[in-house]
């Protein structure tokens, strides 16, 4: 967040008289250096606020501001003219006592000021503990904010403290209402006889669930058999999804709480579910050996991987096995192995699933859907929640098989809603904006990639570039840039297709235990089957996250064509739009909270490695430095530009590189470097590296390019040795230094299909949890 996202702000526009005189309303986004920004409601640009303007306001306050000048960096500098509304969200921080004065240092450095706590307002909190503070007096130009301790979370090193902080910091609902819990307790423990009424009996069909080793709730089951499709061969594919809508009635206490959460939130070793446990792990979980109610997408798929026909119906099922990805992959690789012997009766159906998967994969290639090869990581924790190691997460055919089956069911649900002419929530992913297209074209050109994209790119264009560059050394970085050029997917009743998956219509049907939009889709499908219309209930007022996303999306709306009548959306459409915005915003809230916890854990992990050296690769380049991901640990940190040597480095946005003006040395995406862990700021979630070696080849190559004469070993080596000596002396001093630079979040690089299917990450006790840091792109 901040001005970095709006670097193309028009200088001429700022200098217009009207722009300088007009007042703009927006929300303050504080920064840890005491400066801040006003995030304007109209989305045109962020207004920079110098430190003196930040004294009377806090992060998240709603203000009116006026642009008064451009600062020396070209940013529109503003002045707060009115505080419209004070943020009422609590502040989390550590209680300190200094010279007899109690204060709380906010954990979120964007607040920029400590909060004074009167003697009688500390409650039972002790110095050093993490507390939640409610403000009683706002800040003023010459006075700090004042508050009272509302809740004591515990000691900073308590197991799970990072999660307790995150859920409060991001406002994640983590306690169900009494009414919802009471309603959940009143639900039956098993499927009852009357529940079978008007349902297809699938209890004899060998449906199975396939999930991660430590999954606890199972909301999808699959079955496949050969079938004749038209005049050719094909398959009948059944995707059975837990019928959450049977138990969660519209407007009920459980429904209100589920809507408020909108999604389950996954942390290492803990999940905050959207539904009470009796539903998420019990009645609505397709556990093996018990009857469960489900909604079924029954499809006929031809040899080309095209869905020839489909139907939806409610059913009752009996899961014949709970299988894992690892187990299924082993069976598919060796049908005579021990895994296959243990599941002898199910092997033919698994082979059928593998056959239909390969056909669906062929269709995917024909569509030109985007599927980049990126590295996802998995955090392995011990019983206390401490990271033991971070490892790459491998995907096998079992993962991909389930993904393709879920994609097919999601597409059918979108088509069913369209055909039924009913309003619903689609999962929409639009193509890259013109600005991002231009940045990508410049980057590809600078990298010497012969393929490029046009003014109206198709998903196949991106996939073609990915395939053409997959064997290049910098393939990972090129694919990351391709992903960064795309927009985030959202929920909306206005269908405009899914760019990444190359679908004309797409929605989410397969995860109603974990996603509220899926629950709404189930209700709409049921309404169409009953020849009725589903009416949204009166929903709670959207919160701050909704407002921020609404502002962002408003900037995407194309202005009306002159002369054409402007169609006003109906009340029904507006209600669905509000629901879509709410679900999209809370999805991002969950992602941010998960990333925050992951960053905390990584910082605690790296504190044990201060001063150690590691090899790594440059994964992001900015005007202020390099972000380097370590080879052995998959942890990212910042090498600030001041650590690159005693010369001026110029940032080349097109090439995504920093280049030294004197030596010509370049640091670009994919450059290999050797770094030392120099600083770890747990509160700021920042890890700083310093460059210690590994630039000898870069320097020699740069001198050769600059002079046209092959550099001698002494030329580069002596310079490198001098740099190493200077940096080595500084490193010892800097490991004791608390200051650090701002760290950008890691790029989101999860593939479109894995995000879109909604398959859950692994979780549980002392087990592994899939990284959430790349979750939001699709």
């Amino acid at each position: 967040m901040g001005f970095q996202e709006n670097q193309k702000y028009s200088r001429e526009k700022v200098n217009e008289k009207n722009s300088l005189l007009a007042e703009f309303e927006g929300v303050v986004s504080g920064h840890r250096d005491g400066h801040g920004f006003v995030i304007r409601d109209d989305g045109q640009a962020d207004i920079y606020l110098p430190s003196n303007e930040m004294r009377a306001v806090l992060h998240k306050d709603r203000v009116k501001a006026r642009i008064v000048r451009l600062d020396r960096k070209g940013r529109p500098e503003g002045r707060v003219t009115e505080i419209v509304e004070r943020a009422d969200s609590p502040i989390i921080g550590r209680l300190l006592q200094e010279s007899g004065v109690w204060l709380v240092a906010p954990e979120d450095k964007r607040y920029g000021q400590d909060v004074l706590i009167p003697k009688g307002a500390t409650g039972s909190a002790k110095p050093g503990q993490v507390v939640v503070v409610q403000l009683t007096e706002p800040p003023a130009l010459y006075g700090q904010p004042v508050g009272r301790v509302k809740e004591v979370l515990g000691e900073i090193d308590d197991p799970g403290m990072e999660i307790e902080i995150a859920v409060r910091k991001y406002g994640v609902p983590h306690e169900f209402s009494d009414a919802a819990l009471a309603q959940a307790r009143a639900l039956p423990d098993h499927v009852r006889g009357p529940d079978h009424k008007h349902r297809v009996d699938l209890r004899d069909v060998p449906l199975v669930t396939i999930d991660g080793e430590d999954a606890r709730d199972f909301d999808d089951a699959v079955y496949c058999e050969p079938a004749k499709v038209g005049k050719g061969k094909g398959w009948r594919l059944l995707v059975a999804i837990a019928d959450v809508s049977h138990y969660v009635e519209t407007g009920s206490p459980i429904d209100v709480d589920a809507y408020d959460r909108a999604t389950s939130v996954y942390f290492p070793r803990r999940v905050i579910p959207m539904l009470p446990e009796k539903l998420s792990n019990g009645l609505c979980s397709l556990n093996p050996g018990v009857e469960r109610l489900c909604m079924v997408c029954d499809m006929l798929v031809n040899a080309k991987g095209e869905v020839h026909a489909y139907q939806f119906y409610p059913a009752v099922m009996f899961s014949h096995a709970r299988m894992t990805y690892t187990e299924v992959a082993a069976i598919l690789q060796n049908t005579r192995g021990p895994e296959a012997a243990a599941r002898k009766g199910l092997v033919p159906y698994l082979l059928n699933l593998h056959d239909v998967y390969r056909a669906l994969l062929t269709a995917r290639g024909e569509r030109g859907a985007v599927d980049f090869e990126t590295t996802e990581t998995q955090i392995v924790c011990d019983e206390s929640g401490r990271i033991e190691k971070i490892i790459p997460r491998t995907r096998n055919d079992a993962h991909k098989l389930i993904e393709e089956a879920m994609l097919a069911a999601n597409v059918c649900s979108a088509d069913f809603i369209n055909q039924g002419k009913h309003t619903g929530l689609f999962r929409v992913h639009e193509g890259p904006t013109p600005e991002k297209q231009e940045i990508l074209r410049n980057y590809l050109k600078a990298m010497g990639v012969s393929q490029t994209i046009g003014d109206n790119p198709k998903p196949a264009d991106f996939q073609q570039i990915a395939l053409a560059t997959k064997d290049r050394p910098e393939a990972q970085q090129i694919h990351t840039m391709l992903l960064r050029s795309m927009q985030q997917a959202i929920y909306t009743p206005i269908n405009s297709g899914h760019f990444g998956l190359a679908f004309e219509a797409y929605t989410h049907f397969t995860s109603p235990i974990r996603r509220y939009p899926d629950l709404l889709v189930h209700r709409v499908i049921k309404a169409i089957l009953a020849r009725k219309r589903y009416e949204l209930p009166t929903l709670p007022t959207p919160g701050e996250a909704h407002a921020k996303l609404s502002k962002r999306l408003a900037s995407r709306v194309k202005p009306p064509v002159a002369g054409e009548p402007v169609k006003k959306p109906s009340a029904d459409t507006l209600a669905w739009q509000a629901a879509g915005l709410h679900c999209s915003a809370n999805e991002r809230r969950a992602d941010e909270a998960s990333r925050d916890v992951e960053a905390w854990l990584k910082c605690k992990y790296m504190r044990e490695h201060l001063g150690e050296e590691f090899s790594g690769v440059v994964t992001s380049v900015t005007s202020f430095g390099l972000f380097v991901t370590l080879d052995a640990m998959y942890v990212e940190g910042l090498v600030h530009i001041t650590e690159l040597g005693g010369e001026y480095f110029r940032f080349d946005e097109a090439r995504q590189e920093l280049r030294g003006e004197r030596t010509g040395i370049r640091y670009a995406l994919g450059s290999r470097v050797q770094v030392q862990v120099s600083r770890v700021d747990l509160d700021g979630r920042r890890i700083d590296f310093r460059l210690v070696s590994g630039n000898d080849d870069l320097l020699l190559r740069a001198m050769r390019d600059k002079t046209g004469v092959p550099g001698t070993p002494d030329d580069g080596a002596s310079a490198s040795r001098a740099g190493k000596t200077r940096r080595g002396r500084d490193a010892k001093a800097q490991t004791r230094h608390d200051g650090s630079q701002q760290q950008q979040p890691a790029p989101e690089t999860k593939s479109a299909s894995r995000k879109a299917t909604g398959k859950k990450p692994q979780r549980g006790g002392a087990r592994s949890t899939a990284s959430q840091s790349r979750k939001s792109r699709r």
Side-chain angles (χ1 to χ4, degrees), residues 159-160 162 268-269 379-389 601 605 608 764-769:
E162 67 281 0
R269 300 179 63 251
I379 294 177
V380 181
C381 295
D382 60 18
E383 289 291 347
S384 65
R386 174 186 167 276
I387 292 182
E388 288 185 341
K389 56 184 175 180
L601 290 172
Y605 183 51
E608 302 172 6
R767 293 181 284 265
S768 54
T769 301

Side-chain angles (χ1 to χ4, degrees), residues 164-385:
E164 297 298 331
I165 291 174
V167 296
R168 291 161 178 82
K169 178 178 178 180
Y170 293 96
V172 176
H174 58 287
E175 294 179 345
F176 288 103
S177 65
D178 292 339
L181 292 175
Q183 186 184 11
R185 285 193 295 268
L187 291 170
D189 295 322
H190 53 81
V191 174
R192 298 168 298 186
D195 295 330
H196 293 194
K197 191 176 180 181
H198 305 305
R199 290 181 179 271
V200 177
D201 190 344
L202 296 179
R203 286 176 292 180
D204 61 334
V205 176
L207 286 150
V208 298
T209 62
I210 304 175
D211 289 272
E213 277 77 3
D214 42 15
R216 291 171 55 203
D217 52 73
F218 315 104
D219 49 12
D220 56 79
V222 290
Y223 165 80
C224 186
E225 65 183 17
K228 190 172 182 179
V229 181
K231 295 182 179 181
K233 70 172 185 177
W235 300 269
R236 182 191 180 200
L237 173 63
L238 269 64
V239 174
I241 305 299
D243 191 357
V244 176
S245 63
H246 179 83
Y247 298 104
V248 182
E249 297 180 0
T250 298
S252 67
I254 293 178
D255 189 43
V256 171
D257 279 20
Y259 175 78
D260 187 33
R261 298 176 179 221
T263 180
S264 296
V265 186
Y266 293 93
F267 299 111
R269 300 179 63 251
R270 181 179 169 187
V271 59
I272 297 179
M274 186 182 78
L275 300 172
E277 186 174 1
K278 187 167 184 178
L279 287 169
S280 60
N281 293 341
L283 268 176
C284 293
S285 183
L286 306 182
N287 300 323
V290 292
E291 290 184 0
R292 286 292 182 256
L293 304 183
C294 60
M295 284 294 295
V296 177
C297 181
D298 193 336
M299 297 166 278
L300 285 176
V301 182
N302 65 23
K304 295 180 179 179
E306 301 165 341
V307 177
H308 180 77
Y310 67 84
Q311 61 177 328
F312 286 91
Y313 50 82
V316 57
M317 63 163 284
F318 186 95
S319 174
H320 284 56
R322 176 267 196 270
M323 307 186 74
T324 67
Y325 294 124
T326 304
E327 180 185 10
V328 172
I331 292 172
L332 295 177
Q333 288 178 353
N334 182 9
T335 56
R336 295 182 179 180
E339 295 86 359
R343 303 285 193 180
K344 189 174 181 180
L346 296 174
V347 170
Y349 305 111
L350 295 177
L351 293 176
N352 292 336
L353 282 167
H354 197 228
D355 289 340
V356 77
Y357 151 69
R358 286 185 290 197
L360 291 169
L361 198 62
T362 300
R364 180 193 186 97
E366 291 294 322
R367 291 197 317 273
V370 175
D371 189 12
F372 302 141
E373 287 300 321
T374 56
T375 301
E376 296 178 30
T377 57
Q378 189 171 336
I379 294 177
V380 181
C381 295
D382 60 18
E383 289 291 347
S384 65

